[in-house]
Amino acid sequence: MARSTTRRPVVRIDLGASPAVSRRRPDELAAEEPLEIRLRKQALAVTMRTPGHDIDLVIGFLLAEGVIGGAEDVVTAQLCAGTDTPNTYNVVDVVLGEHVPPPVTDPSRNFYTTSSCGVCGKASIDAVRTRSRFDVSGDPLRIAAGALAELPDRLRAAQRTFDRTGGLHAAGLFTAGGELLVLREDVGRHNAVDKVLGWAVREGRLPLAGHVLMVSGRASFELTQKAWMAGLPMLAAVSAPSTLAVELAEEAGMTLVGFLRGETMNVYAGVDRVTI
C-alpha cells in the first residue's frame, strides 16, 4: 500500500481568492509503474499499473486473455526481484500447469498495455476478441433497479486511495443483494477489473454467476469482454458504453448498464435482469 501513492510538492493557485493567491503545498499522487508479466521466466506482457494486488492483476489478466480458465491452471505466481535500484519488485513470474497450452506471443498479438487502454497493443479485432468458456446467457440473475442505483455510492465509499489522490479508477464485485465482496483501485480501469477477477480466481469463485461488476468509468468493449471471461452476467458503469461493448453484451447474453447515476440508468442489453 505504501507504493500506491507518493507525495510531491505542488503550487496551488486559487483564482477564487481576492486577490488571487498561490502557495506551495504537498499533494498526494496515485503511483504508476510498469509491471512485467512472465511465464516461466519468459516475458509475456508489460502493463502500466498502480502497485498493489499485483498477483491478482496478473492472474486476472491471464484469465481475461483466455490463457487460464481457473486457479487449477496456475502452479505458482510470485513477485520477483527486478533490475531497479532500489528494487521495486515490478515483475510477476507465473508457472502454469503442464496441461495449459502456451499463449500466442507472435508480433501480431503483443500484450503491451498502457494504464489507459488494455488492448492498444493488439494488431487486429481478431486478436482482441476472446471467447469465454462460460455461458452467461441463461444466468437467472435478477436485480431491482433501486438496488442497482445504490451501487455507485457503495463503490465510491470504499475507494480509500481515491480519497487521497482523486486519480484512480475502481472496480467492485457485488452480489445480487448489493453486498460489496471486493474492490480494487488502479490508474488503469482494465487493471482494476483484472485485480477483481484475479481475486475471484484465487478464491475459487469462477464462474461469477449471479454477480454484478461495477466500474467507476465507462463500459468499454474490453471491460465487457473481461466480465464475460469471468462468467459475469452483468456489467454496470457510471459512464457511457461503446458500440462494441453493447454488441458484445448482446452476443454474450450479458446485461449492460450505463450512466448509472443517482436515480437514473440506461440498460443497453439484457434488460430482463433489471426489475422495477
Side-chain angles (χ1 to χ4, degrees):
M1 289 298 295
R3 286 174 49 218
S4 66
T5 65
T6 186
R7 294 179 72 82
R8 301 280 184 176
V10 300
V11 175
R12 172 81 170 184
I13 299 175
D14 186 357
L15 298 178
S18 184
V21 297
S22 66
R23 61 187 178 90
R24 187 172 295 273
R25 51 170 280 187
D27 191 31
E28 198 157 5
L29 305 179
E32 182 178 26
E33 296 180 9
L35 178 69
E36 181 179 352
I37 301 170
R38 297 177 183 173
L39 295 183
R40 291 188 181 273
K41 304 187 185 307
Q42 298 298 312
L44 174 70
V46 175
T47 185
M48 301 300 296
R49 97 301 186 197
T50 299
H53 304 289
D54 290 332
I55 299 297
D56 284 347
L57 189 161
V58 171
I59 292 177
F61 172 85
L62 295 175
L63 173 75
E65 291 292 338
V67 178
I68 65 172
E72 66 279 2
D73 293 336
V74 179
V75 177
T76 61
Q78 59 184 354
L79 281 165
C80 302
T83 58
D84 299 333
T85 304
N87 206 295
T88 55
Y89 290 90
N90 282 332
V91 176
V92 171
D93 187 64
V94 180
V95 175
L96 301 179
E98 296 293 339
H99 63 284
V100 181
V104 177
T105 56
D106 63 83
S108 69
R109 184 178 169 83
N110 78 72
F111 284 104
Y112 173 77
T113 67
T114 69
S115 58
S116 60
C117 176
V119 297
C120 299
K122 306 300 177 60
S124 69
I125 289 296
D126 288 340
V128 170
R129 185 180 291 273
T130 306
R131 292 196 65 84
S132 175
R133 65 188 68 196
F134 302 121
D135 181 6
V136 303
S137 60
D139 194 301
L141 170 69
R142 296 293 184 273
I143 184 168
L148 266 179
E150 295 177 356
L151 299 191
D153 287 343
R154 294 183 181 180
L155 187 78
R156 177 65 186 84
Q159 288 183 254
R160 294 173 182 157
T161 309
F162 181 89
D163 286 338
R164 304 199 304 271
T165 66
L168 291 175
H169 292 283
L173 181 66
F174 289 87
T175 66
E179 178 189 0
L180 177 61
L181 298 178
V182 63
L183 175 136
R184 295 290 184 260
E185 296 178 277
D186 200 279
V187 287
R189 61 173 61 88
H190 55 93
N191 290 335
V193 170
D194 282 343
K195 289 177 179 181
V196 168
L197 301 190
W199 173 87
V201 171
R202 291 194 303 103
E203 292 290 315
R205 290 176 174 263
L206 295 188
L208 289 170
H211 291 76
V212 179
L213 180 66
M214 177 80 211
V215 295
S216 61
R218 61 188 177 87
S220 64
F221 165 86
E222 178 196 17
L223 298 193
T224 307
Q225 178 169 270
K226 287 178 183 293
W228 185 23
M229 294 298 287
L232 278 156
M234 183 176 295
L235 171 64
V238 299
S239 194
S242 68
T243 55
L244 280 179
V246 175
E247 290 172 10
L248 181 61
E250 291 175 337
E251 174 189 336
M254 291 175 57
T255 298
L256 180 60
V257 180
F259 290 109
L260 181 53
R261 304 171 182 174
E263 297 182 343
T264 63
M265 65 196 75
N266 292 345
V267 184
Y268 293 89
V271 69
D272 290 345
R273 290 194 178 98
V274 181
T275 62
I276 299 176

